[in-house]
Coordinates of all heavy atoms in Angstrom, one line a residue:
Chain A
A1707 N 8.3 -15.0 24.4 CA 9.6 -14.6 24.2 C 10.1 -14.5 22.8 O 11.0 -13.7 22.5 CB 10.6 -15.4 25.1
M1709 N 11.7 -16.8 21.2 CA 12.9 -17.5 20.9 C 12.8 -19.0 21.2 O 13.6 -19.8 20.9 CB 14.1 -16.9 21.7 CG 14.0 -17.1 23.1 SD 15.4 -16.3 23.9 CE 15.6 -17.3 25.3
G1710 N 11.7 -19.4 21.9 CA 11.6 -20.7 22.4 C 10.5 -21.5 21.6 O 10.8 -22.0 20.5
S1711 N 9.3 -21.5 22.1 CA 8.3 -22.4 21.6 C 8.0 -22.0 20.1 O 7.8 -22.8 19.3 CB 7.0 -22.2 22.4 OG 7.3 -21.8 23.7
A1713 N 9.9 -20.7 17.9 CA 11.0 -21.1 17.0 C 10.8 -22.6 16.6 O 11.0 -23.0 15.4 CB 12.4 -21.0 17.7
M1714 N 10.4 -23.4 17.6 CA 10.1 -24.8 17.3 C 8.9 -24.9 16.3 O 9.0 -25.7 15.3 CB 9.8 -25.6 18.5 CG 10.8 -25.5 19.6 SD 10.4 -26.4 21.0 CE 10.9 -28.0 20.5
T1717 N 9.7 -23.9 12.8 CA 10.5 -24.9 12.1 C 9.7 -26.1 11.5 O 9.8 -26.5 10.4 CB 11.6 -25.5 13.1 OG1 12.3 -24.4 13.6 CG2 12.5 -26.4 12.4
N1734 N 9.2 -16.8 13.1 CA 8.8 -16.8 14.5 C 9.1 -15.5 15.1 O 10.0 -14.7 14.6 CB 9.4 -17.9 15.3 CG 10.9 -17.7 15.5 OD1 11.7 -17.8 14.5 ND2 11.3 -17.5 16.7
D1739 N 6.6 -8.2 19.3 CA 7.3 -7.7 18.1 C 6.5 -8.0 16.8 O 7.0 -7.7 15.7 CB 8.7 -8.5 17.9 CG 9.6 -8.1 19.0 OD1 9.4 -7.0 19.6 OD2 10.6 -8.9 19.3
E1741 N 4.6 -7.6 13.6 CA 4.4 -6.4 12.8 C 3.5 -6.6 11.7 O 2.6 -5.8 11.4 CB 5.8 -5.9 12.3 CG 6.5 -5.1 13.3 CD 8.0 -4.8 12.9 OE1 8.4 -5.3 11.9 OE2 8.6 -4.1 13.7
N1770 N 0.0 -27.3 21.6 CA 1.5 -27.1 21.8 C 2.1 -27.1 20.4 O 1.6 -27.6 19.4 CB 2.1 -28.2 22.7 CG 2.4 -29.5 21.9 OD1 3.2 -29.5 21.0 ND2 1.7 -30.6 22.3
M1772 N 4.4 -28.4 18.8 CA 4.9 -29.6 18.1 C 3.8 -30.4 17.6 O 4.0 -31.5 17.1 CB 5.9 -30.4 19.0 CG 7.1 -29.7 19.3 SD 8.1 -29.3 17.9 CE 8.7 -30.9 17.4
Chain B
R1294 N 8.2 -16.9 33.2 CA 7.9 -17.2 31.8 C 6.9 -18.4 31.8 O 6.0 -18.4 31.0 CB 9.2 -17.5 31.1 CG 9.0 -18.1 29.7 CD 8.3 -17.2 28.8 NE 8.0 -17.9 27.5 CZ 7.0 -18.7 27.3 NH1 6.2 -18.9 28.2 NH2 6.9 -19.3 26.1
V1297 N 3.3 -17.5 32.1 CA 2.6 -17.0 31.0 C 1.9 -18.1 30.2 O 0.8 -18.1 29.9 CB 3.6 -16.2 30.1 CG1 2.9 -15.7 28.8 CG2 4.2 -15.0 30.8
A1302 N 6.6 -28.9 25.2 CA 6.6 -28.8 23.7 C 6.1 -30.0 23.0 O 6.2 -30.1 21.8 CB 8.1 -28.5 23.3
I1308 N 10.8 -27.0 27.2 CA 11.8 -26.0 26.8 C 11.7 -24.7 27.6 O 11.5 -23.7 27.0 CB 11.8 -25.7 25.3 CG1 10.4 -25.3 24.9 CG2 12.2 -26.9 24.5 CD1 10.3 -24.5 23.6
H1310 N 12.7 -21.3 29.1 CA 13.7 -20.4 28.5 C 13.3 -19.0 29.0 O 12.2 -18.6 29.3 CB 13.7 -20.4 27.0 CG 12.3 -20.2 26.4 ND1 11.5 -21.3 26.2 CD2 11.7 -19.1 26.0 CE1 10.4 -20.8 25.7 NE2 10.5 -19.5 25.5
K1355 N 14.9 -7.8 20.3 CA 14.4 -8.4 19.1 C 15.5 -9.2 18.4 O 15.4 -10.3 18.0 CB 13.8 -7.4 18.2 CG 13.0 -8.0 17.1 CD 12.2 -6.9 16.4 CE 11.6 -7.4 15.1 NZ 11.0 -6.4 14.3
R1358 N 16.5 -12.3 20.4 CA 15.5 -13.4 20.2 C 15.8 -14.1 18.9 O 15.8 -15.3 18.8 CB 14.1 -12.9 20.3 CG 13.6 -12.4 21.6 CD 12.4 -11.6 21.5 NE 11.9 -11.1 22.8 CZ 11.2 -10.0 23.0 NH1 10.8 -9.3 21.9 NH2 10.8 -9.7 24.2
S1362 N 17.0 -18.0 18.1 CA 15.9 -18.9 17.6 C 16.4 -20.2 17.0 O 15.7 -21.2 17.0 CB 15.1 -18.2 16.5 OG 14.3 -17.2 17.1
F1365 N 16.1 -23.6 19.3 CA 14.9 -24.4 19.4 C 14.4 -24.9 18.1 O 13.7 -25.8 18.0 CB 13.8 -23.7 20.2 CG 14.1 -23.7 21.7 CD1 14.1 -22.5 22.5 CD2 14.4 -24.9 22.4 CE1 14.4 -22.5 23.8 CE2 14.7 -24.9 23.7 CZ 14.7 -23.7 24.4
S1366 N 14.8 -24.1 17.0 CA 14.6 -24.7 15.7 C 15.2 -26.0 15.5 O 14.6 -27.0 15.1 CB 15.1 -23.7 14.6 OG 14.4 -22.6 14.5
Q1370 N 13.6 -29.9 15.1 CA 14.0 -30.9 14.1 C 14.4 -32.2 14.7 O 14.0 -33.3 14.2 CB 15.1 -30.3 13.2 CG 14.6 -29.2 12.3 CD 15.8 -28.4 11.7 OE1 16.9 -28.6 12.1 NE2 15.5 -27.5 10.8
I1372 N 13.7 -33.5 17.7 CA 12.8 -34.3 18.5 C 11.7 -34.9 17.5 O 10.9 -35.7 18.0 CB 12.1 -33.6 19.7 CG1 11.3 -32.4 19.2 CG2 13.2 -33.2 20.7 CD1 10.6 -31.7 20.4

Side-chain angles (χ1 to χ4, degrees):
Chain A
M1709 64 183 215
S1711 335
M1714 304 183 82
T1717 305
N1734 67 293
D1739 293 338
E1741 275 169 359
N1770 85 63
M1772 293 300 288
Chain B
R1294 168 63 186 82
V1297 176
I1308 51 159
H1310 53 272
K1355 192 172 169 183
R1358 288 163 180 157
S1362 287
F1365 285 128
S1366 288
Q1370 287 164 352
I1372 64 177

